[in-house]
Amino acid sequence: MQQAQVHYNDAGTPVSDLFGDIYFSDIGGLDETDYVFLHKNQLPERWFTHPRAFFHIAETGFGTGLNFLLTWLRFRQYKTQAKSCQRLYFSSFEKYPFSKADLIKALAAWPQLAELTVLLAESYPLALPGPHRMTFDGSSVVLDLWLGDVNELLPQVPEQNKVDAWFLDGFAPSKNPDMWQQNLFNQMFRLSHSGTTASTFTCAGFVRRGLNDAGFSAKKTKGHGQKREMLIASAENAAELNVHLPSDVTIVGAGVAGINAAFALRQKGVKVQLLCADAEAGLGASHNRQGAVYPNLHATYDLMSSLSCQSFLYARQFYALWLEKLAVSADWCGVLTLACNDNLVKRQHKIKQQPFALSGLFSAVTQEQACEIAGLPLPYDGLFFPTAGWLCPQEYCQQLAQWLGSQGVHISYNTQVHEITQHEQHCMLETSAGTLQATTVVLATGAALNSLNHQESFPLRQIRGQVSHLQSQTMAPLKTVVCHQGYITPAHQQLHCVGATFDRSSGHNQVLADDDQQNLDLVNKTLNRPDWFVDVQLMSAKAGLRATVPDHMPVLGQQNQLWRFGALGARGLTWAPLLAEILACALTKEPLPLTIQQLDSVDIQRYLRLKA
């Protein structure tokens, strides 16, 4: 992404170097936003009578975020009076995003927005292409910032993301003709319904004609201040919304996937029941002491890399908000990935040449810098992810399960599901606790994701992994997670996690002495028998079955009333929060923060279509 280059005029207003246009009015910029975009879309009045639990605004040009912040402020004020509309979604498209420093500087002109500016700046994403979801005010306000060209991104917005009000913003048509195209107006109408409205500061004739040609009814109205006219539009000729929401959802599995799914659905007001085969949550593959949270990068910014980065950024925001509340052990100490063989040297070299290397997601470090970051001697160069780190997945699952119980989620432990039968409007579950009925079922059973409904199976692979827990005085200075061909964590409760084995042939989770030796041997072989590893003592170990599929992407998809969510491999902590949010939005018909292409890349139908 190319970030915005700005200077400030004599009035202190930011001006685009590229377009030669101001980002907001020199005089009364906040009043102009209030009049042009809120008042002319009948906001906040429409929120009081809105028929759905959420209201979706889409904007063409995020700029400084002024329109979003004022809308957020008005929604806060509305929420103190009424709660018929529970959530505000604000989707904004920006080709040249501000840097965080410029964003803060530009918004300093509005002290009444100071609190919201701080919150926005804390969650403001790195300049990586694609959609980035940020949540505020207990998830009642959701910002989806789509970075890239709006005319390229809008065709990739899912049909589900119907918009209630459009803020047709951006630099003036004469300054930025590339944005104001018929394709833009056509895509706006595609994502509209019969109650959608739109407004824009311009009254250019080709904009009015373009909106009308797309299907809107556009007309001139009085402009703000000294501006004589502006445009408003409605989409009464678009299709009406027909939304059928699930009355309840039953989730099978209480590992990282299932627990996150339950959380995301509960946050959207869905009645949730959770079935767990074990005596506690997080006893399957989610039982590790420490799990690393960092993105998986390919040599180019492909689908896997983009989705992994977006998942990582969302997960970091999510964990920053919730881990302290849940009292879960975690440390955002960074993750250092070493170029410890020829393939990794080549991959990291290619990664460093890509434009996304300038985003701030990671830094390329020399061997000397790697040693300083780690606090221990290391023999290789690498990439350092400064905002990554580790958390305790089992503790996380159990603490979140306890919180969910306090929020009305019914959790049934020691409940094994034997069979699921799908009917036209519901599912019947035969369990060890009896027969249950559910409107919608989500299977989040990890390596057992194919154990039910074999006729609809897909190529799920079970990969056994064992992690060794070591005590060491000489390894104590380790300050960051180190990934070589395995990984080593800083000490937690005086134990380091070292692992993990990768065994496709064993379908059990028994701890094996040979696997502990394999973990020790891998460190010594890869890192040239480091002195700081000589005094390690094996204290314990854990083994589990990770689930993957051939393309190494997660699986999230629907078959009638049955959904399956899993194949997260060794990166469940990174994938799960965003994918659980996707699942919850898909079920409640709320805006999805992924492109159509990204959604297709994780949809289970990609395998079922091949099978058919």
Side-chain angles (χ1 to χ4, degrees), residues 57-69:
I57 294 170
E59 172 188 54
T60 58
F62 187 72
T64 64
L66 183 62
N67 294 345
F68 166 65
L69 293 180

Side-chain angles (χ1 to χ4, degrees), residues 287-323:
H287 65 173
N288 286 335
R289 290 176 51 82
Q290 294 169 282
V293 181
Y294 68 106
N296 181 29
L297 299 182
H298 286 180
T300 59
Y301 199 70
D302 57 9
L303 267 175
M304 167 71 87
S305 295
S306 67
L307 189 55
S308 180
C309 287
Q310 288 161 230
S311 296
F312 168 71
L313 295 177
Y314 183 84
R316 279 295 286 114
Q317 178 196 173
F318 178 84
Y319 293 138
L321 178 64
W322 283 96
L323 292 188

Side-chain angles (χ1 to χ4, degrees), residues 37-219:
F37 296 115
L38 287 152
H39 175 65
K40 289 302 181 179
N41 279 291
Q42 301 101 52
L43 301 175
E45 295 83 2
R46 286 169 67 189
W47 294 333
F48 288 91
T49 57
H50 189 62
R52 292 193 289 176
F54 67 94
F55 193 92
H56 184 201
I57 294 170
E59 172 188 54
T60 58
F62 187 72
T64 64
L66 183 62
N67 294 345
F68 166 65
L69 293 180
L70 184 60
T71 306
W72 180 3
L73 181 64
R74 293 286 181 265
F75 193 74
R76 270 190 172 185
Q77 293 165 346
Y78 150 80
K79 289 272 283 184
T80 65
Q81 305 169 57
K83 294 184 179 180
S84 57
C85 180
Q86 298 286 318
R87 289 176 294 285
L88 171 70
Y89 284 86
F90 195 102
S91 299
S92 189
F93 299 82
E94 180 56 62
K95 188 175 182 179
Y96 302 102
F98 267 55
S99 69
K100 185 182 292 190
D102 280 331
L103 188 84
I104 294 170
K105 181 177 180 180
L107 291 171
W110 315 108
Q112 60 269 58
L113 300 176
E115 179 199 351
L116 303 186
T117 297
V118 170
L119 294 174
L120 173 61
E122 287 175 351
S123 296
Y124 195 65
L126 300 174
L128 292 168
H132 300 270
R133 173 155 291 187
M134 292 153 273
T135 61
F136 306 97
D137 288 0
S139 299
S140 67
V141 174
V142 181
L143 170 63
D144 286 334
L145 185 52
W146 293 67
L147 298 184
D149 189 315
V150 65
N151 280 301
E152 295 176 3
L153 287 173
L154 274 178
Q156 277 294 312
V157 176
E159 194 77 25
Q160 175 174 305
N161 293 25
K162 295 297 186 184
V163 175
D164 296 304
W166 286 95
F167 292 2
L168 185 49
D169 202 356
F171 295 116
S174 61
K175 302 281 188 179
N176 185 20
D178 288 346
M179 188 193 89
W180 302 82
Q181 299 179 17
Q182 188 60 43
N183 175 65
L184 171 66
F185 308 133
N186 293 344
Q187 289 296 325
M188 287 172 59
F189 190 77
R190 176 181 74 87
L191 294 169
S192 297
H193 58 84
S194 58
T196 300
T197 61
S199 65
T200 179
F201 61 88
T202 186
C203 63
F206 83 92
V207 175
R208 179 172 55 83
R209 291 189 294 273
L211 287 168
N212 285 330
D213 288 346
F216 289 95
S217 297
K219 63 182 181 180

Side-chain angles (χ1 to χ4, degrees), residues 6 11 24 44 48 65 75 88 97 132 141 207 268 352 443 463 496 584:
V6 299
F24 45 74
F48 288 91
F75 193 74
L88 171 70
H132 300 270
V141 174
V207 175
K268 299 186 191 309
K352 289 183 285 188
L443 289 181
I463 299 175
H496 299 267

Side-chain angles (χ1 to χ4, degrees), residues 335-385:
V335 171
L336 180 62
T337 62
L338 299 177
C340 55
N341 59 40
D342 290 343
N343 287 336
L344 286 172
V345 168
K346 291 175 183 177
R347 177 192 287 188
Q348 291 195 6
H349 176 74
K350 290 178 180 178
I351 288 172
K352 289 183 285 188
Q353 309 307 310
Q354 296 296 317
F356 73 88
L358 302 176
S359 66
L361 178 68
F362 64 87
S363 57
V365 297
T366 63
Q367 177 192 350
E368 183 179 9
Q369 290 169 327
C371 297
E372 184 177 350
I373 289 168
L376 293 172
L378 296 170
Y380 306 107
D381 300 343
L383 303 178
F384 181 61
F385 297 82

